[in-house]
Amino acid sequence: MSAPRNGTTTAPARPGTFAAILRVYPYAKVAMPRVYLGMVSALVAGLVALLIPQVLARLVDGPLQDGDSSRIWGPVAIVLGLGVLEAAMIWLRRWFVLQPGTHIEARMRNGLYAQLQDLPVTFHDRWPSGQLLSRAMSDLNIIRRWISFGLVLLVVHLLMIVVGFAFLISINWMLGLLFVVCSVPLWIYGYVFEQKYSIVSRRSQDQSGDLATAVEESVHGIRVLKAFGRGKYALKNFASQAEDLRGTEIEKARAIAGIWLWLLLVPDVTFALCLLGGVWLAADGQLSVGELVAFFATATVLRFPVESIGYLLSMTFDARTAADRFFEVMDEENTITDPADPKTIASPRGRLVFEGAHFRYPDSPATHTDLLDGIDLELEPGETMALVGLTGSGKSTLTALTTRLYDVTAGAVILDGVDIRDLTRFDLRRHIAMAFEDATLFSASVRDNVLLGRPEGTDEDLAEALDIAQAAFVHQLPNGVDTMVGEEGMSLSGGQRQRLALARAVAAKPDVLVLDDPLSALDVDTEALVEAALRRVLASTTALIVAHRPSTVMLADRVALLENGRVTAVGRHSELLRTNDHYRFVISSLEDDDPPADVAEVPDDIPDDITDARRGVTS
Amino acid sequence: MSVLGVEGEERNDFSPEESRQIRQRSIRLLGSLLSPTRARLILTMCVVVISTAAQVAGPALIAIGIDRGLPAIVDEGNGTPLALVVVAYLLTGVIGAVLIAWYTVLAARISQGILIDLRKRVFLHTQKLSLEFHESYTSGRIIARQTSDLDAIRELLDSGINQLVQGLLYMVFIGIALFSLDWVSGLVLMVFLVPLGVLTRWFQVRSQRVFRETRVASARLIVHFVETMTGIRAVKAFRKEKRNAADFAGYVEGYRDSNSRVIALFGTFDPVLVLIGNVALGVVLLVGGLRVADGGLQIGVLLATLLYTRQFFAPAQEMAMFYNSYQSAAAALEKISGVLEEQPSVPDPTRPIDLWNAKGRVRFDGVEFAYRSDRVILPRFDLDIPAGQVIALVGSTGAGKSTLAKLMSRFYDPSSGAVSLDGLDLRMLHPKDLRRAVVMVTQEAYLFSGTVSENIALGKPEATRDEIVAAARAVGAHDFITSLPGGYDTDVNKRGGRVSAGQRQLISFARAFLADPVVLILDEATASLDIPSERLVQEGLTTLLADRTAVIIAHRLSTVAIADRVLVMEHGTIVEDGTPADLIAGTGRFSQLHAAWRDSLV
């Protein structure tokens, strides 16, 4: 469960390269017949290329030796014919593997995306989106190229080498054996190369991912960086990460240089030895000149397959690393899933109950108590409950429990008598709609953004929701409600986004409305208008509203006070204001007009810092 | 239509003139990237030239071995010629291999140097580009420029250039070797350069368009992906998963489709190339064979010409791959050079004025601000803020408060008129001095991955831990920070996932406090705070703002209490200006707002 942010993760007991890549098979299965056909075509092409030297040998020892120019035309025609066949086979190979590669890639990409959308928010809290993006883009690219190119050629070239060796040995067993023996160091070095290369390759891919994260943050956080003039400072951090990547890349180049050295040196030495031996044997009469020519022509055809093995191996290891990174996400266990046997709510009324609900973040240290430490709270149908507490008391987390963005770690949340874990997530989120303080709009029209929770909604639904959220500004946008907003559209102010997010929650017409401080970015006038309009909705809908302001609290029938992970008081605003010191401390801004008793007797449960601060205020 | 900067990025129908402009700016960028590495480039070229020559020598030596070495042994029993040829072969083999290995490392150093240079340039330029650019160009696209487009260039440099250089040299050296061995075969081969050229040209023209489509398709995919992952909470809460998956599948299919068209193009190019090579082989064999039969050519030479012909076309195949990476890199470079061509609408001064100890007097003289030249946001106005004055800026959403704040912190420049600090036009100030003097804290409190203390230290990178803690204490953030699992060293994770909105604001407050500017602008910086925290911040502000100029934008009018002066804005105009007491006592807009606010507090 580690997020590989700094690229230092070391996998325990790596499975073999073959086993690791084989995991891609389910995605590749339907495409494999074409891949095999591609291999066959490539193999035929390779064999044809190997046949040409055989024809040459006949030609040299026959007509050329005899000086019979009339018999030259036949063999030349055969060489030409084989040449055309080779080209045709290469065309076939390309044609066969064209679709599989891209389809496998597309399938894996859609699969990854589906998995990422399904994984709980805790996963996304942990994984920077740059790491996810590099998996979805470059890693899958690598796998595609390996399947349609690397894999096919690796298999075919290995086969060609075997057949070619057989040809060489059949021409002259001593020369052929010499050639084969001399190739052995290449395989040994290729193996050593794997060890070295795959480590560096993995590091390079991780570092690329980290660099992508740095880029993303520098763009998303551009306002902060500008406000403090920290562009250069950010550059320094970015540059040092880029330097790390450069170091890794050069290390990678050294490894590649090493294998190049052997890939060129060994065949050349082999050729030199074969030349020596071949001419010697020819002088001795054990080998005809034609056979000598065929030997070198065959050996030359084999050079590319032999040399390519190193490159293809490194491609394979890259693909393996990419597959590892892909499955790292795919293997992530989803802790928030639909029940095997989901229940439904026959007649939803909107009664929401927290029963001893506990929650702690998976990585919070054992010494910490649960963030939510046994929440008991009941919202009757149609009731509006405000949730009040200090910053960090877990209000937002509590709201996130209602739609299972997080799951309770103990206890339960119950909607109309059904544990929400017994509902499908889709169903649950149809019953409960949320508006977040941090309002996210998607690249789509205003209409689609507002009707997100009710795609079948009519123009009237849209107008009503916009009206309640006081979002009439959308009519002033260039294309009204059809104006594109979000990443690829117009950028809106925080207040505007917040109102659209509120409209979205309202438009979903849920049984329970959960609003996480939905009015924080609005000015006083607009807030008053929104509140007036919201009352109409809240009259009939169960609602849980995180409130920081008295004005928001006024929307609620009752208020729940969240303190040290528990609900310590529930009641009407005026009642709590009168009877509960902590409540007054949390919600009241009227320090001057209301020189209350709470200055003298500070309740025990108020953290020290606040006590200190308040001493500072009063002294 | 203009193709200046990032305009026309999504278009695919450039006129020849526009294509030329785009190509030229790419070439200029490339040239500027290459020039610092010139010396190393020359060394590298020498190494690769020698190593290629050594590699090409092989078949010629085999020819000599067969044609001279063999008869010498058979006729004279003299093994020396053969021995010499074999030694020469070994020598060229060793030299070729060692140099190619050296070249690989040298080339990697150069390309990595270029890459890091380009990365830094784009990064820095992105940071320099004004907010206006970022707001319209979207983060997804600027991220794509710096990730997938840079990857395309990286790929070109990694393997593409090697293929081109080695391939080209290989062909040249083989041509030379062939001509010197047997000029007739050389001529035959030259004839086949014609179809090779035609094929290559065809490929070049056809591929350019598809490659550009691929880049556009991948950028779209990335934008959608990033948007989903950053908005995952809303995606889940509103059951957007299925619809997203459908949209995403559409983008994936578009990307797949353009990708497969690229590959299909290769599927034609590659076999045709092989066909040309094999026909050439047949013709060389025929022409050579006839002469061998006549006794006009030695067998060894014929073998060498055949081996050379076969090898001649092998790199052409690799060079096709070069076109692959070249085209995507060229398309990427076009876009990157477009971004680099964008001039910051808020440029750094060419001859900056230093301002060491700013007093903090801010003036707006005849300032007007229009958005994208036609929409006037702020009509012409004057405003004088004496040093040390604390101003509350109020008004309804969209009244222009944030725009005024952004002008003051030079996120935007005015369309006409000037904003000045201590009598100096902001546009003349050294950016370092400006940012030290003026800091703006916005509602959107972004946290970078890293620890809480690193995030606070952004306000003053050289700050000690004590200073950081002091800043956190001053804004009332110390206690929640120490209660985090790792205290000040807690990793805030992606987008501050674990830290609440209010806590994020406290951290960004601490950041500003640490930066210690003479002018502080708070744009809704307390909106997410709960009341106790806000109370603490308010208290802190009284001391914090004691000797600073400050502009506070807040919907909650509690700030007014600490303000010396209140400005009320409406529709881009300052409609009221006075002390809080005067305005509250009056009958204007502010007294209404204030009354409404008081009512909302109970």
Side-chain angles (χ1 to χ4, degrees):
Chain A
M1 291 252 299
S2 64
R5 269 188 13 97
N6 40 24
T8 51
T9 42
T10 44
R14 276 156 44 101
T17 298
F18 183 70
I21 293 187
L22 200 63
R23 300 196 57 198
V24 174
Y25 187 73
Y27 296 92
K29 205 168 150 191
V30 283
M32 284 320 278
R34 286 184 73 104
V35 173
Y36 296 139
L37 284 172
M39 284 181 190
V40 171
S41 316
L43 189 59
V44 173
L47 295 181
V48 166
L50 283 171
L51 277 179
I52 294 178
Q54 298 293 320
V55 182
L56 282 183
R58 309 280 180 285
L59 187 67
V60 170
D61 286 342
L64 294 191
Q65 198 84 37
D66 312 338
D68 182 356
S69 36
S70 66
R71 277 169 43 223
I72 289 177
W73 296 90
V76 169
I78 294 176
V79 168
L80 264 176
L82 289 175
V84 173
L85 187 60
E86 188 194 6
M89 283 299 143
I90 290 176
W91 181 81
L92 260 187
R93 163 181 57 94
R94 291 262 182 192
W95 184 73
F96 277 129
V97 299
L98 167 63
Q99 296 302 326
T102 60
H103 277 293
I104 292 165
E105 182 188 12
R107 214 170 292 136
M108 292 178 79
R109 191 166 282 140
N110 282 324
L112 182 72
Y113 184 76
Q115 163 80 348
L116 286 174
Q117 284 204 102
D118 201 44
L119 282 170
V121 171
T122 43
F123 172 88
H124 290 274
D125 288 346
R126 224 157 18 87
W127 283 67
S129 54
Q131 279 288 353
L132 302 177
L133 183 65
S134 68
R135 278 164 174 77
M137 297 306 291
S138 20
D139 285 330
L140 294 186
N141 248 318
I142 290 172
I143 291 176
R144 188 247 302 155
R145 280 199 305 217
W146 180 75
I147 287 174
S148 54
F149 181 75
L151 171 66
V152 171
L153 290 191
L154 186 63
V155 170
V156 168
H157 284 179
L158 285 173
L159 286 173
M160 265 181 83
I161 289 170
V162 171
V163 175
F165 281 179
F167 273 135
L168 292 180
I169 290 173
S170 77
I171 291 169
N172 182 283
W173 69 269
M174 278 188 289
L175 273 190
L177 219 54
L178 181 65
F179 193 88
V180 174
V181 169
C182 287
S183 300
V184 170
L186 282 185
W187 313 127
I188 295 172
Y189 195 80
Y191 179 78
V192 176
F193 175 73
E194 177 209 359
Q195 318 271 318
K196 227 196 268 179
Y197 190 82
S198 63
I199 296 168
V200 193
S201 162
R202 161 96 199 203
R203 195 182 337 138
S204 143
Q205 282 170 53
D206 282 341
Q207 286 175 342
S208 298
D210 289 343
L211 205 62
T213 306
V215 163
E216 256 181 55
E217 291 198 338
S218 78
V219 173
H220 288 308
I222 186 88
R223 282 172 188 80
V224 175
L225 293 175
K226 276 194 179 299
F228 289 93
R230 290 285 172 261
K232 291 233 168 78
Y233 172 73
L235 176 71
K236 224 170 70 190
N237 285 336
F238 172 80
S240 88
Q241 276 187 305
E243 286 292 352
D244 290 346
L245 178 62
R246 162 157 77 170
T248 309
E249 286 294 323
I250 287 175
E251 217 176 300
K252 214 165 132 186
R254 282 217 186 85
I256 293 173
I259 195 146
W260 263 120
L261 180 68
W262 294 106
L263 281 176
L264 290 175
L265 193 59
V266 172
D268 271 335
V269 170
T270 313
F271 264 62
L273 293 178
C274 288
L275 184 62
L276 183 66
V279 173
W280 204 267
L281 287 170
D284 204 33
Q286 294 190 41
L287 193 70
S288 74
V289 177
E291 284 168 336
L292 194 58
V293 168
F295 186 89
F296 282 110
T298 307
T300 305
V301 171
L302 282 181
R303 246 192 113 139
F304 176 56
V306 169
E307 280 176 12
S308 73
I309 296 296
Y311 172 65
L312 293 173
L313 276 179
S314 75
M315 242 179 122
T316 307
F317 302 135
D318 278 348
R320 179 255 157 87
T321 309
D324 282 350
R325 286 162 51 88
F326 172 78
F327 283 107
E328 222 171 338
V329 173
M330 297 306 282
D331 291 344
E332 187 75 30
E333 197 196 340
N334 193 353
T335 48
I336 300 183
T337 53
D338 288 336
D341 189 14
K343 291 182 183 161
T344 53
I345 299 172
S347 51
R349 301 170 56 234
R351 185 166 191 276
L352 185 67
V353 179
F354 294 85
E355 262 183 20
H358 283 255
F359 181 79
R360 64 186 297 123
Y361 284 101
D363 56 354
S364 70
T367 50
H368 277 56
T369 54
D370 289 358
L371 176 62
L372 298 177
D373 199 16
I375 299 284
D376 291 303
L377 187 63
E378 293 181 20
L379 280 75
E380 296 304 329
E383 185 183 30
T384 300
M385 178 81 74
L387 195 57
V388 168
L390 288 172
T391 291
S393 58
K395 301 186 296 292
S396 292
T397 310
L398 184 64
T399 62
L401 291 181
T402 60
T403 51
R404 298 188 72 201
L405 292 180
Y406 299 122
D407 256 354
V408 289
T409 42
V413 180
I414 291 161
L415 178 64
D416 289 330
V418 181
D419 187 322
I420 57 170
R421 283 168 296 188
D422 291 335
L423 297 168
T424 64
R425 285 166 294 169
F426 187 86
D427 205 23
L428 170 66
R429 290 165 190 168
R430 213 161 42 83
H431 291 301
I432 304 181
M434 295 181 80
F436 304 93
E437 189 194 4
D438 178 12
T440 310
L441 297 182
F442 297 99
S443 295
S445 64
V446 169
R447 176 198 307 273
D448 290 349
N449 265 295
V450 173
L451 294 180
L452 192 64
R454 178 176 284 266
E456 73 283 7
T458 62
D459 281 354
E460 284 77 52
D461 295 331
L462 174 69
E464 189 191 348
L466 289 174
D467 183 46
I468 289 169
Q470 301 300 313
F473 68 88
V474 299
H475 301 299
Q476 264 93 61
L477 297 176
N479 295 316
V481 291
D482 295 313
T483 309
M484 292 288 288
V485 293
E487 266 294 318
E488 288 183 294
M490 280 199 64
S491 58
L492 302 175
S493 75
Q496 290 174 324
R497 276 187 284 135
Q498 214 171 39
R499 276 178 280 168
L500 287 186
L502 179 63
R504 172 193 288 169
V506 170
K509 298 200 173 148
D511 302 312
V512 179
L513 199 54
V514 177
L515 307 175
D516 187 357
D517 204 11
L519 311 174
S520 62
L522 304 188
D523 60 89
V524 179
D525 287 352
T526 317
E527 185 181 337
L529 291 171
V530 173
E531 278 163 1
L534 257 184
R535 277 178 209 282
R536 303 206 304 265
V537 180
L538 296 180
S540 56
T541 311
T542 313
L544 181 62
I545 304 180
V546 172
H548 282 134
R549 311 284 154 191
S551 54
T552 321
V553 171
M554 302 300 275
L555 287 170
D557 302 313
R558 288 193 297 161
V559 186
L561 179 64
L562 194 60
E563 199 181 348
N564 297 331
R566 296 223 169 114
V567 173
T568 53
V570 181
R572 301 178 58 80
H573 172 61
S574 51
E575 182 185 321
L576 291 181
L577 207 54
R578 215 172 39 242
T579 57
N580 191 305
D581 289 334
H582 185 65
Y583 183 73
R584 200 160 46 237
F585 170 71
V586 171
I587 202 72
S588 174
S589 331
L590 297 177
E591 312 114 75
D592 310 330
D593 302 21
D594 188 21
D598 69 313
V599 175
E601 35 179 304
V602 173
D604 293 338
D605 53 3
I606 294 175
D608 288 347
D609 61 306
I610 295 164
T611 323
D612 289 343
R614 274 158 23 108
R615 283 202 192 99
V617 172
T618 45
S619 60
Chain B
M1 267 184 274
S2 158
V3 290
L4 198 68
V6 297
E7 278 178 64
E9 202 176 72
E10 309 249 332
R11 275 169 57 206
N12 216 347
D13 53 343
F14 297 110
S15 70
E17 173 60 19
E18 287 173 336
S19 299
R20 200 182 54 82
Q21 279 178 22
I22 293 177
R23 208 164 40 239
Q24 277 185 348
R25 78 169 181 222
S26 301
I27 291 170
R28 270 200 306 278
L29 173 59
L30 200 61
S32 74
L33 288 168
L34 283 175
S35 64
T37 60
R38 200 175 297 144
R40 183 172 267 169
L41 210 58
I42 292 170
L43 170 68
T44 312
M45 288 311 286
C46 292
V47 170
V48 72
V49 165
I50 299 172
S51 84
T52 313
Q55 284 180 71
V56 166
L61 290 172
I62 292 176
I64 299 171
I66 292 175
D67 294 339
R68 306 259 170 79
L70 182 59
I73 298 171
V74 176
D75 303 340
E76 310 159 23
N78 178 4
T80 320
L82 179 63
L84 281 177
V85 167
V86 170
V87 169
Y89 202 113
L90 278 174
L91 215 58
T92 56
V94 172
I95 290 172
V98 169
L99 288 187
I100 208 75
W102 191 24
Y103 165 77
T104 306
V105 178
L106 279 175
R109 280 189 191 286
I110 291 179
S111 56
Q112 289 302 319
I114 291 173
L115 265 182
I116 204 161
D117 184 9
L118 186 59
R119 278 189 207 282
K120 284 189 206 161
R121 274 199 224 183
V122 183
F123 187 92
L124 189 62
H125 193 77
T126 303
Q127 291 297 321
K128 273 198 180 144
L129 284 170
S130 51
L131 219 50
E132 199 181 347
F133 175 85
H134 282 278
E135 280 164 1
S136 64
Y137 192 65
T138 77
S139 49
R141 273 150 80 197
I142 195 75
I143 291 168
R145 293 298 85 79
Q146 294 188 67
T147 51
S148 59
D149 283 347
L150 256 155
D151 279 343
I153 293 172
R154 163 180 169 173
E155 198 171 310
L156 172 78
L157 292 170
D158 266 7
S159 53
I161 292 283
N162 286 358
Q163 283 159 359
L164 175 75
V165 170
Q166 283 179 272
L168 213 57
L169 284 173
Y170 221 72
M171 291 173 94
V172 169
F173 279 112
I174 285 176
I176 293 172
L178 206 52
F179 267 103
S180 47
L181 269 179
D182 174 37
W183 64 271
V184 180
S185 302
L187 274 185
V188 171
L189 203 60
M190 289 307 112
V191 171
F192 282 91
L193 280 180
V194 177
L196 185 64
V198 171
L199 177 70
T200 309
R201 182 72 201 148
W202 168 85
F203 183 80
Q204 200 178 0
V205 171
R206 289 290 294 271
S207 58
Q208 193 147 17
R209 178 177 280 257
V210 262
F211 277 118
R212 191 171 283 131
E213 279 170 16
T214 312
R215 310 303 318 168
V216 173
S218 86
R220 246 183 229 134
L221 196 63
I222 290 172
V223 167
H224 181 92
F225 187 91
V226 170
E227 194 171 78
T228 303
M229 296 314 146
T230 47
I232 192 73
R233 281 179 169 76
V235 166
K236 284 175 177 292
F238 289 92
R239 297 156 279 129
K240 198 172 186 288
E241 293 99 330
K242 277 208 185 106
R243 282 166 277 161
N244 264 349
D247 289 348
F248 188 73
Y251 295 128
V252 167
E253 178 56 25
Y255 181 52
R256 191 201 68 74
D257 187 56
S258 55
N259 248 340
S260 69
R261 260 180 289 159
V262 169
I263 304 169
L265 216 51
F266 269 94
T268 312
F269 178 80
D270 188 23
V272 173
L273 183 69
V274 173
L275 185 68
I276 294 172
N278 283 347
V279 172
L281 188 77
V283 176
V284 169
L285 178 62
L286 181 68
V287 173
L290 288 173
R291 284 179 299 146
V292 172
D294 288 351
L297 194 70
Q298 288 177 296
I299 287 204
V301 175
L302 176 65
L303 174 63
T305 57
L306 292 177
L307 295 184
Y308 277 135
T309 307
R310 178 114 197 151
Q311 286 183 2
F312 183 78
F313 290 94
Q317 227 160 336
E318 304 220 328
M319 282 162 72
M321 294 196 212
F322 166 77
Y323 270 118
N324 184 8
S325 41
Y326 168 76
Q327 292 288 2
S328 27
L333 200 64
E334 280 176 12
K335 293 200 170 150
I336 290 176
S337 65
V339 169
L340 289 177
E341 196 178 52
E342 282 289 328
Q343 289 304 313
S345 60
V346 181
D348 288 346
T350 39
R351 240 179 275 151
I353 299 174
D354 291 335
L355 178 63
W356 291 106
N357 281 311
K359 302 278 180 308
R361 179 182 183 197
V362 180
R363 278 182 60 115
F364 291 70
D365 288 308
V367 166
E368 186 187 81
F369 182 76
Y371 203 54
R372 281 178 211 147
S373 71
D374 51 346
R375 261 174 61 214
V376 177
I377 305 287
L378 300 181
R380 197 185 148 88
F381 72 103
D382 296 304
L383 179 63
D384 190 348
I385 306 174
Q389 192 172 60
V390 175
I391 287 191
L393 192 55
V394 300
S396 53
T397 308
K401 306 184 299 282
S402 292
T403 310
L404 192 142
K406 282 173 180 165
L407 286 172
M408 198 164 154
S409 53
R410 209 177 169 229
F411 274 22
Y412 298 154
D413 274 343
S415 316
S416 67
V419 183
S420 60
L421 174 63
D422 290 1
L424 299 170
D425 193 325
L426 294 188
R427 284 170 291 202
M428 310 288 283
L429 289 179
H430 194 290
K432 233 177 167 172
D433 294 334
L434 172 65
R435 296 299 165 204
R436 201 178 44 226
V438 182
V439 162
M440 173 150 102
V441 181
T442 60
Q443 180 181 13
E444 178 211 66
Y446 187 84
L447 296 190
F448 295 86
S449 62
T451 64
V452 170
S453 98
E454 282 165 5
N455 266 289
I456 296 175
L458 200 75
K460 185 182 175 190
E462 70 278 10
T464 62
R465 174 54 66 94
D466 287 345
E467 288 176 285
I468 291 170
V469 174
R473 271 188 199 281
V475 301
H478 178 73
D479 287 276
F480 101 78
I481 295 173
T482 45
S483 75
L484 291 172
Y488 279 86
D489 298 316
T490 308
D491 198 311
V492 298
N493 268 342
K494 185 179 107 171
R495 288 237 179 174
R498 191 62 54 78
V499 184
S500 78
Q503 292 170 336
R504 260 184 285 164
Q505 284 203 332
L506 286 179
I507 292 175
S508 81
F509 245 114
R511 207 185 252 167
F513 185 86
L514 190 62
D516 191 26
V518 65
V519 179
L520 185 62
I521 304 164
L522 305 175
D523 185 359
E524 288 296 341
T526 55
S528 304
L529 296 184
D530 58 19
I531 286 167
S533 311
E534 193 185 8
R535 218 154 34 209
L536 278 177
V537 169
Q538 295 280 4
E539 281 310 313
L541 278 180
T542 355
T543 41
L544 178 62
L545 300 183
D547 48 359
R548 284 176 224 279
T549 311
V551 170
I552 305 172
I553 302 176
H555 295 315
R556 328 279 154 199
L557 298 188
S558 40
T559 5
V560 171
I562 54 169
D564 304 318
R565 180 180 173 192
V566 176
L567 298 176
V568 183
M569 286 188 81
E570 240 165 53
H571 308 300
T573 317
I574 298 170
V575 292
E576 284 176 41
D577 180 354
T579 64
D582 287 351
L583 290 185
I584 292 171
T587 55
R589 177 87 180 108
F590 184 72
S591 73
Q592 293 167 22
L593 278 174
H594 195 260
W597 171 73
R598 293 294 293 190
D599 291 346
S600 76
L601 290 182
V602 192

